[in-house]
Amino acid sequence: MRWRIRKCPECGRYTLKEVCPVCGAETKVAHPPKFSPEDPYGEYRRRLKKEILGIGVKK
Amino acid sequence: MARDEVRKILPADIKREVLIRDESAETNPKWGFPPEKRPMEMHMQFGIINLDKPPGPTSHEVVAWIKRLFNLSKAGHGGTLDPKVSGILPVALERATRVVQALLPAGKEYVALMHLHDDVPEEKINAVMREFEGEIIQRPPLRSAVKRRLRTRKVYYIDVLEIDGRDVLFRVGVEAGTYIRSLIHHLGLALGVGAHMAELRRTRSGPFKEDETLVTLHDLLDYYHFWKEDGVEEYFRKAIQPMEKAVEHLPKVWIRDSAVAAVTYGADLAVPGVVKLNKGIKPGDLVAVMTLKDELVALGKAKMSSQEMLNKGKGIAVDVDKVFMPREWYPKMW
Ligand SMILES: [Zn+2]
């Protein structure tokens, strides 16, 4: 299914457009991504997220 | 546009005045666990997640996943979202599970995409949609558990956000139990061309909104790992709200320390135990019984109006229905 409802990550505006009509930022699909409880890419995703959040980084 | 901004108000947004019955009452800091003082494990036991449900699973499946992933024995959601629908699905955990009963009667907000079955001028779309604000008549859908008789529901506001050919994107604030699919079907009939709901997302359920507390299943699971495996609890802690969040929109009665234990042992709340309360309570209203530290003790039905609770010297103020606070938090004082 191709989703049509989009949301601006900057100002929160809901829109059908690719570009936010309020602030001009690039909009994203409003719905969160599919989730599987088996979560096959979980470890990989967490490795990236930890880097971004600075978790477990050796000083 | 400015006009639309101010109209986006659900009953939960109306501020309630506080009436003081006893100026001098104090609370002992040694007793109880205000939300910010709960250890992580306890925070989870009395927690509720402001979950962003993905499209796909049923609400029931999502709750089953959460129980399995976080090794919980109990959990419950506040107001079913259909499989294809995304958005705010509050999920209460363990000892807070039944706090969802406070959310079922709360107002909801959705962003919906309506697809019209033929062309209609924009002015007509706007005019007809404005007419649907106020009371509407609905019949529960075929597969609904609710008895299928006609009933009225309030539409608090409808804001058309965009019209793109036959696609109409709008935001709608409604009373609990309003069927958006059916609302769109009736809009289609009123416009004379027919319409169906192409996409739906819930953006609000009572006090739960799209704010920094809204969390996806992916984030939730990752934060749980960071806590359990990396010993970093701050992310999982922020992903779980204290059960008190779920009663933010309810009228409240604050009670003295000496009355807390009695209520946790099942006693109804008598007037002398009341320290302060919200204005505007009517007999029969669902109310939250709180400590002076703003901890949730119980949910109950008001037996008196606010004025009576304020002025009377005795009698039952609240018929306690569901106790959330453990008995050990406040000492027995009777
Ligand atoms: Zn924007």
Side-chain angles (χ1 to χ4, degrees):
Chain A
M1 164 119 199
R2 222 183 100 75
W3 302 110
R4 299 258 353 251
I5 302 182
R6 304 179 70 82
K7 195 183 173 190
C8 172
E10 298 299 322
C11 71
R13 158 79 187 219
Y14 278 93
T15 179
L16 300 171
K17 302 184 173 88
E18 306 265 326
V19 172
C20 176
V22 177
C23 72
E26 212 173 291
T27 63
K28 289 180 169 171
V29 169
H31 314 286
K34 247 193 165 48
F35 180 84
S36 145
E38 287 68 42
D39 196 28
Y41 304 104
E43 283 310 316
Y44 177 72
R45 188 183 62 241
R46 281 189 284 278
R47 223 179 301 148
L48 288 176
K49 215 177 254 181
K50 276 193 205 176
E51 246 169 68
I52 294 164
L53 297 172
I55 294 172
V57 185
K58 298 239 162 52
K59 296 236 167 89
Chain B
M1 212 60 209
R3 183 194 66 110
D4 293 342
E5 293 301 324
V6 288
R7 290 185 317 128
K8 286 175 193 166
I9 284 184
L10 297 183
D13 294 320
I14 297 162
K15 284 257 178 276
R16 300 172 199 273
E17 244 179 89
V18 178
L19 307 170
I20 315 273
R21 201 166 172 280
D22 179 356
E23 288 284 356
S24 63
E26 285 179 355
T27 182
N28 188 329
K30 285 191 294 197
W31 304 332
F33 285 93
E36 67 282 1
K37 286 203 176 153
R38 290 174 196 161
M40 188 56 229
E41 198 64 56
M42 183 193 279
H43 180 57
M44 189 160 91
Q45 291 283 315
F46 296 93
I48 180 162
I49 301 164
N50 184 14
L51 184 75
D52 193 346
K53 177 194 171 294
T58 65
S59 299
H60 180 80
E61 281 172 310
V62 169
V63 170
W65 291 347
I66 287 178
K67 281 170 66 177
R68 203 166 81 218
L69 293 169
F70 307 131
N71 298 303
L72 304 172
S73 56
K74 272 200 300 178
H77 64 76
T80 307
L81 286 179
D82 285 343
K84 277 205 271 181
V85 180
S86 78
I88 299 207
L89 182 73
V91 179
L93 313 177
E94 301 288 26
R95 300 185 68 168
T97 299
R98 286 184 58 187
V99 82
V100 293
Q101 83 177 66
L103 298 172
L104 301 179
K108 313 285 190 288
E109 186 191 81
Y110 299 86
V111 168
L113 181 62
M114 168 168 73
H115 183 77
L116 301 172
H117 298 164
D118 205 345
D119 298 330
V120 180
E122 288 198 8
E123 314 80 73
K124 188 174 174 190
I125 296 172
N126 283 312
V128 167
M129 289 183 76
R130 207 164 300 135
E131 274 174 42
F132 274 70
E133 288 182 325
E135 292 245 308
I136 58 164
I137 297 170
Q138 290 203 315
R139 188 195 295 277
L142 266 175
R143 55 189 186 75
S144 168
V146 184
K147 198 158 184 238
R148 296 192 71 236
R149 20 164 227 253
L150 288 177
R151 58 186 200 185
T152 66
R153 281 293 178 268
K154 286 193 193 79
V155 174
Y156 301 115
Y157 50 86
I158 295 188
D159 292 328
V160 176
L161 298 172
E162 276 170 29
I163 300 171
D164 177 18
R166 295 179 184 178
D167 289 325
V168 181
L169 182 70
F170 66 100
R171 194 187 279 276
V172 59
V174 294
E175 185 179 356
T178 308
Y179 301 101
I180 306 301
R181 187 180 299 280
S182 151
L183 170 71
I184 287 176
H185 177 75
H186 285 100
L187 281 167
L189 296 178
L191 288 163
V193 297
H196 71 267
M197 185 175 86
E199 236 173 280
L200 186 67
R201 174 168 168 81
R202 183 153 75 195
T203 51
R204 202 171 155 186
S205 172
F208 292 93
K209 302 175 187 174
E210 288 190 289
D211 55 20
E212 67 291 342
T213 69
L214 185 64
V215 65
T216 62
L217 283 164
H218 291 99
D219 279 343
L220 204 55
L221 180 58
D222 294 348
Y223 297 160
Y224 182 73
H225 273 260
F226 297 162
W227 171 37
K228 288 288 175 181
E229 278 154 38
D230 305 284
V232 177
E233 70 167 49
E234 60 168 301
Y235 299 99
F236 198 58
R237 177 179 283 278
K238 276 192 208 141
I240 296 180
Q241 309 312 309
M243 60 182 172
E244 283 77 6
K245 174 75 192 180
V247 300
E248 227 173 58
H249 60 302
L250 290 186
K252 296 185 180 76
V253 175
W254 288 264
I255 65 176
R256 43 183 103 250
D257 285 4
S258 58
V260 175
V263 170
T264 64
Y265 274 86
D268 286 331
L269 176 65
V271 171
V274 177
V275 174
K276 52 182 184 170
L277 65 152
N278 282 131
K279 198 178 166 179
I281 298 171
K282 299 181 298 300
D285 283 355
L286 177 66
V287 296
V289 178
M290 312 296 290
T291 68
L292 295 179
K293 298 184 190 79
D294 281 317
E295 303 151 292
L296 174 65
V297 183
L299 288 175
K301 275 219 166 60
K303 301 296 277 182
M304 296 178 178
S305 68
S306 295
Q307 272 312 311
E308 287 174 306
M309 289 186 208
L310 193 64
N311 299 328
K312 287 199 174 179
K314 57 177 187 173
I316 299 301
V318 179
D319 187 350
V320 171
D321 173 33
K322 177 66 197 140
V323 174
F324 293 92
M325 183 174 286
R327 291 173 172 179
E328 321 81 68
W329 284 15
Y330 280 74
K332 271 174 145 184
M333 295 180 79
W334 67 89

